[in-house]
Amino acid sequence: MNAVGVRMVTRSRSRGPGAGQQGSREKPAPLRREEAAAGRKSYSPVKRQRKAQRLNVAYEASEGEKGEGVEHLQSPAWEPQDWRQQLENIRTMRSGKDAPVDQLGVEHCYDLSAPPKVRRYQVLLSLMLSSQTKDQVTAGAMQRLRARGLTVDSILQMDDSTLGTLIYPVGFWRNKVKYIKQTSAILQQRYDGDIPASLAELVALPGVGPKMAHLAMAVAWGTVSGIAVDTHVHRIINRLGWTRKATKSPEETRRALEEWLPRELWSEINGLLVGFGQQTCLPLHPRCQACLNRALCPAAHGL
């Protein structure tokens, strides 16, 4: 009786493929090529062929998504240990908002009563002056410029000697005189006296680097285009170990930081860390004993 059962199954399977070939001679049965490569004949009914086809499609889809999702799931995004607690501690230490950047930073250097276009120009100019310069010195230079009427036209009408006298002693003031004149001319010719509203156009201006451009986008246009990283932020990020490996420049630090820091924190991090660097995490002789992160900071253990 078992033998009869086997013969019945054999006849049933032999009829299936034969009937399928007679019904559509020009259309091969699904998965026949794959089955041939596997070195076996197919005696599966049509139902089993459809199941195999679905498995094949699912496999192909996963191959297409490999670079987008599977690799990410297998390798979780890196983030530094204890960074949330470190950040909260810095917020606590900065709660007084009494660092130089809080009173004299770019947000406080432009004329609030000026037209929007003039305010944006003054924001950009204060950023250009701030490079390699303390906030107090930048604020003083901006105050002197504003007293003479700080607009694109007034700067272009001013001779280089007068401009240099007004901005001195900002760092590299001679170069900045040249860059300010060149940038002001471009703004007048191409942007009707306004500043560009894109990061790419801002960094293309003479004397404008990535940090200045990101801050200009945030302060002048209200757009968060990236993290503004200056020497303070660069130093502190490396001391805290907030990058996979030590970085050698502010721009390298910016790229490394943006890889993992949540975007909603990008606008906060510059002012927070600049003030922290001005008061506690100093370039030389940092005040680690007064820092709430002294037990969490890798650099504090080696100082």
Side-chain angles (χ1 to χ4, degrees):
M1 193 162 184
N2 289 338
V4 173
V6 170
R7 285 195 300 274
M8 290 176 64
V9 172
T10 301
R11 286 195 301 272
S12 171
R13 290 182 175 177
S14 64
R15 284 195 300 269
Q21 291 174 352
Q22 292 173 0
S24 56
R25 292 181 179 274
E26 297 181 357
K27 185 177 181 180
L31 299 183
R32 178 167 297 177
R33 182 171 58 184
E34 288 80 1
E35 291 166 350
R40 63 177 182 273
K41 294 182 178 179
S42 173
Y43 296 98
S44 302
V46 173
K47 183 177 181 180
R48 290 188 63 184
Q49 290 175 357
R50 287 197 299 269
K51 182 177 180 181
Q53 185 178 20
R54 286 196 299 269
L55 288 175
N56 184 54
V57 171
Y59 173 77
E60 291 176 353
S62 66
E63 282 291 303
E65 297 170 357
K66 185 175 181 180
E68 300 176 3
V70 175
E71 184 177 352
H72 174 71
L73 294 175
Q74 292 175 348
S75 303
W78 178 90
E79 64 180 33
Q81 185 178 7
D82 299 323
W83 75 270
R84 293 185 183 276
Q85 185 59 55
Q86 291 170 332
L87 178 62
E88 195 58 41
N89 288 342
I90 295 173
R91 285 173 174 156
T92 300
M93 290 183 281
R94 290 278 289 114
S95 60
K97 299 292 183 181
D98 52 0
V101 69
D102 299 313
Q103 309 300 326
L104 304 170
V106 61
E107 297 90 346
H108 307 281
C109 285
Y110 61 88
D111 185 359
L112 292 173
S113 64
K117 186 187 299 186
V118 175
R119 291 202 302 266
R120 289 190 287 267
Y121 174 68
Q122 292 181 0
V123 166
L124 181 61
L125 215 64
S126 69
L127 289 168
M128 295 176 70
L129 293 173
S130 70
S131 176
Q132 302 294 312
T133 305
K134 291 184 177 181
D135 288 332
Q136 298 91 324
V137 177
T138 301
M142 285 295 296
Q143 187 175 17
R144 292 188 294 273
L145 288 171
R146 285 171 52 189
R148 299 286 293 264
L150 182 52
T151 64
V152 170
D153 290 337
S154 69
I155 289 296
L156 291 176
Q157 293 169 8
M158 190 180 298
D159 60 78
D160 291 3
S161 177
T162 301
L163 179 56
T165 300
L166 291 173
I167 70 173
Y168 180 85
V170 299
F172 305 100
W173 64 272
R174 290 185 178 86
N175 288 334
K176 290 177 181 178
V177 167
K178 178 179 64 176
Y179 294 145
I180 288 171
K181 283 295 190 75
Q182 291 174 345
T183 289
S184 298
I186 293 172
L187 298 182
Q188 186 185 62
Q189 296 166 5
R190 301 181 187 175
Y191 300 97
D192 192 29
D194 208 341
I195 72 171
S198 74
L199 186 71
E201 290 175 293
L202 282 167
V203 295
L205 296 172
V208 178
K211 181 210 77 170
M212 303 176 205
H214 285 301
L215 282 175
M217 290 295 296
V219 179
W221 293 110
T223 300
V224 178
S225 58
I227 302 173
V229 177
D230 64 357
T231 54
H232 288 294
V233 178
H234 170 64
R235 176 179 71 255
I236 293 167
I237 292 300
N238 276 275
R239 285 180 176 176
L240 290 172
W242 280 15
T243 57
R244 288 178 182 265
K245 60 181 181 179
T247 54
K248 298 180 180 180
S249 69
E251 184 61 10
E252 185 182 356
T253 299
R254 179 192 65 80
R255 291 192 296 266
L257 193 57
E258 288 180 357
E259 286 182 357
W260 66 268
L261 188 70
R263 192 177 181 90
E264 60 267 22
L265 300 177
W266 288 12
S267 61
E268 174 191 15
I269 209 70
N270 176 268
L272 189 70
L273 295 188
V274 168
F276 180 58
Q278 291 174 334
Q279 293 182 309
T280 305
C281 196
L282 306 175
L284 298 175
H285 311 297
R287 299 166 182 165
C288 295
Q289 293 304 314
C291 181
L292 298 179
N293 284 326
R294 60 185 176 275
L296 299 174
C297 177
H301 301 157
L303 294 173

